Amino acid sequence: MISISGLTSQTALRLIDVTRDRQIEVMRDDLANKRGEEAFRERIASISTPEELVADFEVYSFVMKAFDLEDQIFGKGMVRKILESDPVDEASLLNRLTDSRFREMHLSLEFTTEDGPQDPDFSNETWVNEIVDRFYNRQFINENDNQNGTVGTVLEFREEVAGLNSWFEVLADEKLTKFFQITLNLPEQISGLDLEVQKKLFEDKYDLADLADPAEQERMITRYMAISDVLNPPQFSAGSPAVSILQSASFGAQFVPITLDVATVTFSASQLYR
């Protein structure tokens, strides 16, 4: 991965945007990732139940990482019950969880639907490729998030913004909640309030329908990064490899020009919470 240490979030985001394809190519060449992908491609079609999935640790781990659930890998019993859950029964384990990652995985695998237990066909090449692409995209997001949490939150926002239809969906995701709290000048302490109260506070501040406009999305991203960098200034390092890359980036024989057009911040720290 390219180091973005010491860069402002605006500059870091521009750098990883311009190098994204190359970074994912490097991840695909990683031996551990290759082994996981090969195991998934070779054996997923032979799996027909949640029990069989969690029993194949290589395939199971690959799927869990694709849905950003690496931190839950060792809860195999719980994951199995979630995948067996009735998606329309309000009392089912799936519907009692607030973590949207599990629902997303459940809907993709379809071991159980509103019609009951299913024998899903995992031989579909398009579906297999989608899960593989999801795996590498998630690694890309997480590894950059580990270097710069502000950039990681922006990447998460980009992933989810098209499907945001309610504030409850925002509140179910920690990073999205943080994004909107900071961008809309709402204190993080409101997270301790009742969900209905939080929803009303967000609704009074912003109309989610406005995010249908790509220009508005970019405006929100720019504001979020500017405020975040004021609140948590990046620790600049003159020797950072990223600084050298910004001056002249070359991958293989291809020169990658980078044009920085960072929007001017026109507000002061004292204005952020007015």
Side-chain angles (χ1 to χ4, degrees):
M1 296 295 292
I2 289 176
S3 171
I4 53 176
S5 174
L7 300 177
T8 66
S9 297
Q10 291 257 15
T11 304
L13 184 64
R14 291 181 183 278
L15 177 59
I16 64 174
D17 278 347
V18 97
T19 59
R20 182 183 186 278
D21 291 345
R22 176 56 181 157
Q23 290 190 58
I24 290 181
E25 182 182 334
V26 170
M27 287 189 288
R28 286 181 180 271
D29 288 337
D30 178 81
L31 290 179
N33 289 339
K34 274 188 172 182
R35 285 196 299 269
E37 180 183 343
E38 288 171 1
F40 172 75
R41 289 186 180 277
E42 289 172 1
R43 303 202 294 272
I44 187 62
S46 66
I47 291 173
S48 58
T49 66
E51 181 180 11
E52 291 175 354
L53 176 65
V54 300
D56 189 327
F57 191 73
E58 274 191 302
V59 176
Y60 165 68
S61 297
F62 190 88
V63 172
M64 291 287 280
K65 290 177 182 177
F67 288 91
D68 197 26
L69 287 164
E70 185 172 5
D71 59 336
Q72 302 293 327
I73 281 176
F74 292 101
K76 293 195 291 185
M78 181 189 73
V79 172
R80 175 183 169 183
K81 288 181 180 179
I82 291 171
L83 294 176
E84 293 171 344
S85 289
D86 183 344
V88 295
D89 181 0
E90 292 185 2
S92 71
L93 178 56
L94 174 68
N95 289 322
R96 285 187 282 119
L97 295 172
T98 58
D99 193 329
S100 60
R101 297 175 297 172
F102 288 108
R103 175 167 293 279
E104 197 170 1
M105 181 172 67
H106 186 287
L107 292 174
S108 179
L109 296 176
E110 291 191 316
F111 284 117
T112 307
T113 69
E114 59 184 13
D115 296 322
Q118 304 294 314
D119 183 4
D121 177 13
F122 294 141
S123 63
N124 183 287
E125 186 175 354
T126 299
W127 181 86
V128 169
N129 288 334
E130 286 175 356
I131 299 299
V132 170
D133 289 344
R134 175 187 281 268
F135 172 88
Y136 288 110
N137 184 58
R138 178 46 57 184
Q139 283 219 331
F140 172 79
I141 292 173
N142 289 349
E143 291 192 24
N144 282 295
D145 179 56
N146 289 337
Q147 296 188 71
N148 184 317
T150 296
V151 169
T153 298
V154 169
L155 295 177
E156 197 69 41
F157 171 78
R158 285 177 172 178
E159 284 292 298
E160 304 296 335
V161 65
L164 290 180
N165 297 307
S166 79
W167 284 110
F168 286 127
E169 293 172 350
V170 171
L171 293 169
D173 187 294
E174 183 179 352
K175 284 190 176 297
L176 290 179
T177 300
K178 179 180 179 180
F179 177 91
F180 284 102
Q181 283 177 347
I182 289 177
T183 309
L184 301 177
N185 295 336
L186 289 168
E188 63 179 340
Q189 287 81 1
I190 69 170
S191 292
L193 301 175
D194 181 83
L195 285 178
E196 287 287 351
V197 175
Q198 293 183 59
K199 173 177 174 286
K200 182 68 166 56
L201 288 170
F202 280 118
E203 283 178 341
D204 290 344
K205 278 278 192 177
Y206 191 76
D207 184 354
L208 280 177
D210 291 346
L211 291 174
D213 180 2
E216 174 64 7
Q217 294 175 22
E218 288 304 311
R219 188 190 74 83
M220 293 286 280
I221 287 171
T222 299
R223 179 172 174 80
Y224 168 75
M225 290 192 296
I227 297 175
S228 292
D229 279 1
V230 169
L231 297 176
N232 299 288
Q235 298 301 308
F236 179 75
S237 171
S240 170
V243 176
S244 299
I245 291 171
L246 282 171
Q247 295 170 345
S248 178
S250 178
F251 301 103
Q254 181 182 9
F255 175 74
V256 181
I258 300 175
T259 301
L260 299 180
D261 182 22
V262 181
T264 302
V265 178
T266 59
F267 51 84
S268 67
S270 62
Q271 296 174 307
L272 296 182
Y273 291 101
R274 291 181 180 176

